Structures are given as C-alpha cells and as structure tokens.
Amino acid sequence: MLSYVPASYIKSVGQAAHTDRETRVGEKKHIERNKDNMVKSGGRSVPVVVCLASLCLALCAGALKPDVLLDNTATTLNHSMALVQRMEALLTQGNGSDVVLRVQTVNTDEVKVIQVHSLVLTLQSDVFDELLQTRNSTAMVLKETSDCAAVFEKFVRYLYCGDITVRLNQAIPLHKLATKYHVWDLQQGLTQYMTQHLSSDSPAGHVVAWYQYATQIGDVTLQNSCLQYLSWNLSSVLQSAEWSSVSGELLLSLLQRSDLVLQSELELYEALEAWINQNQPSDETAENALKAIRYAMISPQNLFHLQKKSPLMLKYYESVRDLLFLAFQFHAASPIQLAKYYDVNCSLFTPRNYLSLSWGSPWVINNPTRDDRSFSFQTQLGPSGHDVSKRITWNALFSPRWLPLSVRSSYPEQGSMLLTRTDAGRPRIIVTPATSSPDFAGVSFQKTVIVSARKQGKVVVRHVYNFHQSTEEAGDFLLEADLQRRASEYLIDSSLYLHIIVKPLYHTLIVSKK
C-alpha cells in the first residue's frame, strides 16, 4: 500500500487562501447575490469558497514557519492533519458543493455522482480547470472505463486530502486517471509504488500486466524494472499462474536474454511448451520462440527425449532441425574442435544463469560483517557432452570490509593490515580456480554472483553481479549495501544469501581465408 502526500498540495492550497483573503472584501456583493451557495458557520451564512479559504488559512496560520529564525525560541506548529480531516469531511458531506461530477462507466448505464468543489479541482489539475471553465451547468459528465470508474472516488479523495491507499490491482487505473487529468505528483508516486512492489504476492500475478501497461504508455523505467524482475526470478514465474498471461512480444524478449535465472534450459523449454499449448499463438511466434531455446545447454539424453516424445518438437521439428544438429555436434566433439568450424560466440552456446549444482553452488554467510570467509565448490568444465566428466574446483573468498590498495598505501606500513578491516572498507568477493588445466584452452569463465533478499515476505533475487576470469572479482559487489544493519534489504535473518555460477564462454577459432 502507498500513502503519498506531496508538498505541492499544501503549498498550492496555502497560496490560494492568501489570495482569497486579500480579495474577500470585494466579494461581499457577490456573496449577497449567491445565497443559495452558502453554508452555515457560527450561526450565519458563509460562502463555500470562503469556507475553503478559511480552512486553507488555518493551515497557513497553524503551520507557522518564519523564513528567518531570529532566536532559538522559534518553533513550528503544524496542524495540517486537522486541515486534511476537514477537507475529507467537506468532500464526504458535500457541504457547499458547486459542481456535480457524473462519472459514467463506458458501455454501461452505471453512473456515479460525486459532489465536489471547483476550487479544489482547479488547484490540483489544469485539465479540471479547463473543463470547469467550459461547462454549461453545475453538472459535469466524465466517461471512464470500468476499472477507472471503480477507483474514481478514491482518486477524487486524493485531490482533497493529498494521500491515498493503493492496492496492487488499483495501481494501473489510478495511474491512468493521474495521467489523464495531469495530477503529476500522484502519477510519479504510483510509478514508484509499482517499481517497489514487483515482488508482492497476488493471486494471478501483476508484474506482466504492469509491464504491458508500461509498454503501452511508453514508461521505459517501469518497463525495464518489470523485465528485470521477470528475468531474475524467472524460475518462480514459470511455476506461477502469471506465466500463461505473458504476451508473445514479452515471451520473445525474455528468451533473447542471457541473464535469465532458472534451474536449467530444459525447464525453460518445458515452460515454453506449456505456454504454447495454452495460448495457441501463430506458427511464426511459436517457431521464433523455439529457435530462441539454447539446445546446446540441454544434455544429449534430454534432447533425444524431446526429439521423440515432445508433441511441440514433433510439430515444429523442421524449424529447429539445424539447431538440434549443431547441439548434437557440440556435445560430440571437443569445444576447441567445434570452434574451428563454427561461430561458438552465438547465443546457442552461451549459458544463462542456471541454478543447478553442475553450474555453481549456493553460499549462505551468517553474520557477514564478522570476518573473512572462504568456500570451495565444483562445477563442470562445460556443458558439452565431451566435457561432462571433467570438473573444476573453485575457491571463493568473501571479505566484509576490504580497502583498495590506493587507500591502504596512505597508511603507515606498521599496522596497515589492521586498517584494512575498518568500517571504511566495502564488501569484496573473489572467485578463482583452485588449479590450472590444459582443458582451459579456448575457454574463459564468467562468474555470476546472485544476491537474494526478502521483499514483501517473499525471497527474490535482489541483485546479479557478473565478472570475468581476467578480473576474478566483481568491482561493484554490494557497493551500496549496508550489511551492518540487521534490517538491511540485502540480508535474510542477518545472513547473506549468495549463489555463485560459473559459465564457460568459448572463443571462435575459425581461420579466415586470405
């Protein structure tokens, strides 16, 4: 949920009150001619505009904040919450309303009637200001879609009170209304809300819908946030009801990425098969999706099974036959031999972030700020069937407070090692092979460190760090994390949850013809 109160709301209301106070004397005759638009206050009739202005003036007087503090006795008296309550009561009771909004749901006879005050609407929205200037009566008809009509009263309340409670299924219609009526503070707050609540649980999921909406309105920031969340948490998305709602365009965007976090390429193929069976896309979409699967990352045994048992593979076999042929060649020959004849830098031979133990290992570091930790694990040399029995041992070192040499050199040599373990340092992780081997020829290794965290009660991928063999460490690893705080968003129950993945990348050895 989101409670959002922009400072511009209080400022604009206060400015209007000041203007109204200066012109109140000149409005007395106008008041006499508009007795129908009066409200009772203290035994006498007062115009509703004056009531609104008086409320605003109360805020200005209640929130006394001199520009220059003459002495240390000056203070700030803030009664803004009382004003908000009065504004809400004014909307709820409809006292002195000078405009009636008739919110009609498109393609239905349903109409909601809301009594409002033109002053408030004009202050908050230039669109409402223009509509009010061109109206012919006290009633104003607004046509909205069913989802927007359902939250329109909540939207109007925000115009009066400056705060709003948002649920996951209300974010899009409220964002639509904020955009339509140019309530920019609310629009910005809702975009921030959606970005921060991607991991929240909902029965049918909401990230895919938010991605599609962001694409529709051209919000690149929200679109990229949704796409990154889906990519980094794809394994859980594949098992959820949300997977079936993925559009063909989003499906192809995901399949092109190498940063997908999932158990294996086989898991991705099986999820794709389920998606195609349920959504029945065009043959072109199905073929393009199948061509994006990296078959070389699937073992020969599983490839044989798919070839003969998968209904989807049997139907579209001709479309992927060449890719399967290359995959079988990749598993049969050594990668160095294959690299002499084929471009092995293409996506077919590039691993994604697979969580299975043959690619890496999880590492839970309890109380990570205490001291340095080390850890050893094994991975396969590569996904090729030719290397299936070859293993590599890796050593990982985690240091919670490491200082770079450039900083360390400024201290005296005596005691300098002690200074490298100060709070001024930053976390560091290094991953190196335990031994060297001739089998490493023609192969470089990309290391990926996945950091998980708990958000909205759900364990999700918080960050993914990549670094290559030549560097041996991630330069920006946990650069912005404060591991000293027990409530750090990078920790789960005071522990750092990592998963280290090592991905072999092959170099093309094709000799160009002169």
Side-chain angles (χ1 to χ4, degrees), residues 173-191:
L174 284 171
H175 195 280
K176 288 179 180 178
L177 291 174
T179 303
K180 178 178 179 179
Y181 294 103
H182 294 184
V183 186
W184 303 123
D185 286 341
L186 178 58
Q187 183 200 56
Q188 182 181 1
L190 289 165
T191 300

Side-chain angles (χ1 to χ4, degrees), residues 427-499:
R428 181 193 194 192
I429 190 167
I430 303 174
V431 180
T432 57
T435 59
S436 181
S437 170
D439 293 326
F440 292 0
V443 182
S444 63
F445 297 95
Q446 177 179 302
K447 296 101 171 188
T448 297
V449 179
I450 298 173
V451 181
S452 297
R454 182 179 286 120
K455 299 188 69 175
Q456 286 88 45
K458 183 178 179 181
V459 177
V460 297
V461 174
R462 179 68 176 80
H463 211 294
V464 175
Y465 299 93
N466 296 308
F467 52 105
H468 293 274
Q469 186 175 21
S470 58
T471 58
E472 296 184 344
E473 66 175 301
D476 59 345
F477 180 66
L478 297 178
L479 194 60
E480 299 178 356
D482 183 5
L483 301 181
Q484 298 285 350
R485 290 191 305 111
R486 292 179 61 87
S488 171
E489 59 184 2
Y490 285 85
L491 300 179
I492 301 177
D493 298 330
S494 302
S495 297
L496 185 62
Y497 278 68
L498 308 178
H499 194 111

Side-chain angles (χ1 to χ4, degrees), residues 33 75 82 96 99 142 146 151 159 198 220 231 247 258 262 265-266 272 330 349 360 376 403 409 433 441 452 481 483:
R33 292 193 300 268
T75 188
V99 178
L142 304 174
S146 59
V151 297
L159 301 181
L198 295 172
V220 178
S231 300
S247 65
S258 295
L262 68 166
E265 195 73 17
L266 181 61
L272 173 61
F330 173 75
F349 304 107
S376 296
L403 287 177
S409 60
S452 297
L483 301 181

